[in-house]
Amino acid sequence: WRLKRVLDRHGIRATVSLNASICHSYPQIVDASLAAGWEMLGHGFIQRALSLESDERAVIRRSIDTIKEYTGAAPRGWMGPGLVETMHTPDILAAEGIEYVCDWCNDDQPYRMKVQQGSLVSIPYTVELNDIPVYLIQHHSSSELFDRARDHFDTLYQEGAESARIMAVSTHPYITGVPHRIKYYDMIFDYIKQFPDVVFMTGSEILDWYKAQG
């Protein structure tokens, strides 16, 4: 709820990496997210890597169906739990109607992926501005996410004068949402909003913008 208060204050709509089972176990979180205009991104049924599932397609389909049944709309995007895919994941996702995927942390711009049928676009995600490696693995101080986000933004903003760049900030309630870190999360958006020609978009909005460019 601390994360949501920050985003609401700044008028920013998040893209939620949603384990679909949350629709059943914590529906109040999904309800509040939907009421705020946030996007639901498919993130498995539970937090378990697809490579550990006996039937990957069934898990993907169950996740999509559960989110659609609860929210009234199927998710357009997907992120594998733990960013894990198999060799078959992109083809399965495209075949099941997923339009974009966030598993590939290798570019600051969207790009089209090769799939057997349909289409699939990679939307930029990050492990550089991600609170799991920053805090739980690298053990940085509470201010690190803000310091890194500020420097990251400065570079992308300069490059964006020639060609648009996407900056993702990935946070988890049990990490960035704790009392001693939340103010630095707030500071990220205070800083970014000072600059002209910056827009805040959900994953689907980035996808639609990208496709509109031809």
Side-chain angles (χ1 to χ4, degrees):
W1 300 112
R2 292 191 185 105
L3 293 179
K4 187 175 184 301
R5 279 196 294 270
V6 169
L7 294 174
D8 286 349
R9 185 173 82 82
H10 290 285
I12 296 172
R13 290 171 294 110
T15 303
V16 180
S17 299
L18 184 69
N19 296 139
S21 61
I22 296 298
C23 294
H24 303 313
S25 57
Y26 293 102
Q28 63 270 36
I29 294 177
V30 182
D31 292 344
S33 299
L34 293 172
W38 294 9
E39 178 179 354
M40 300 296 106
L41 178 78
H43 192 50
F45 189 76
I46 61 173
Q47 188 65 22
R48 183 167 58 211
L50 289 177
S51 59
L52 300 178
E53 301 288 0
S54 59
D55 190 336
E56 177 182 4
R57 184 183 296 272
V59 171
I60 291 172
R61 187 172 292 172
R62 184 186 185 191
S63 303
I64 293 171
D65 289 347
T66 300
I67 294 173
K68 181 179 180 180
E69 179 180 346
Y70 190 86
T71 69
R76 299 178 67 188
W78 178 272
M79 178 188 296
L83 298 178
V84 175
E85 291 187 356
T86 73
M87 294 295 291
H88 308 291
T89 305
D91 290 328
I92 294 173
L93 291 174
E96 294 297 327
I98 293 294
E99 300 175 64
Y100 73 90
V101 64
C102 298
D103 292 340
W104 299 80
C105 306
N106 57 4
D107 209 321
D108 299 313
Q109 296 178 314
Y111 58 86
R112 297 184 183 275
M113 302 188 71
K114 295 181 180 179
V115 288
Q116 292 179 346
Q117 64 182 88
S119 66
L120 191 66
V121 173
S122 174
I123 297 295
Y125 185 66
T126 181
V127 291
E128 292 293 331
L129 301 180
N130 186 312
D131 59 7
I132 289 179
V134 168
Y135 294 126
L136 301 191
I137 298 174
Q138 299 166 359
H139 304 296
H140 286 289
S141 64
S142 300
S143 64
E144 176 66 18
L145 191 66
F146 167 71
D147 294 336
R148 191 178 296 196
R150 178 193 58 212
D151 295 343
H152 194 100
F153 172 83
D154 288 345
T155 298
L156 293 186
Y157 189 75
Q158 183 179 19
E159 295 174 349
E162 298 181 358
S163 181
R165 297 291 190 270
I166 308 299
M167 176 174 163
V169 181
S170 173
T171 56
H172 301 75
Y174 68 98
I175 305 175
T176 297
V178 299
H180 63 92
R181 295 191 183 116
I182 192 63
K183 74 174 183 179
Y184 298 106
Y185 186 61
D186 192 29
M187 289 167 61
I188 292 173
F189 306 112
D190 276 333
Y191 181 77
I192 291 174
K193 289 173 70 175
Q194 299 178 76
F195 295 82
D197 301 322
V198 174
V199 294
F200 295 90
M201 305 168 78
T202 64
S204 286
E205 288 171 337
I206 295 171
L207 175 70
D208 291 338
W209 162 81
Y210 173 72
K211 287 185 172 181
Q213 307 312 305

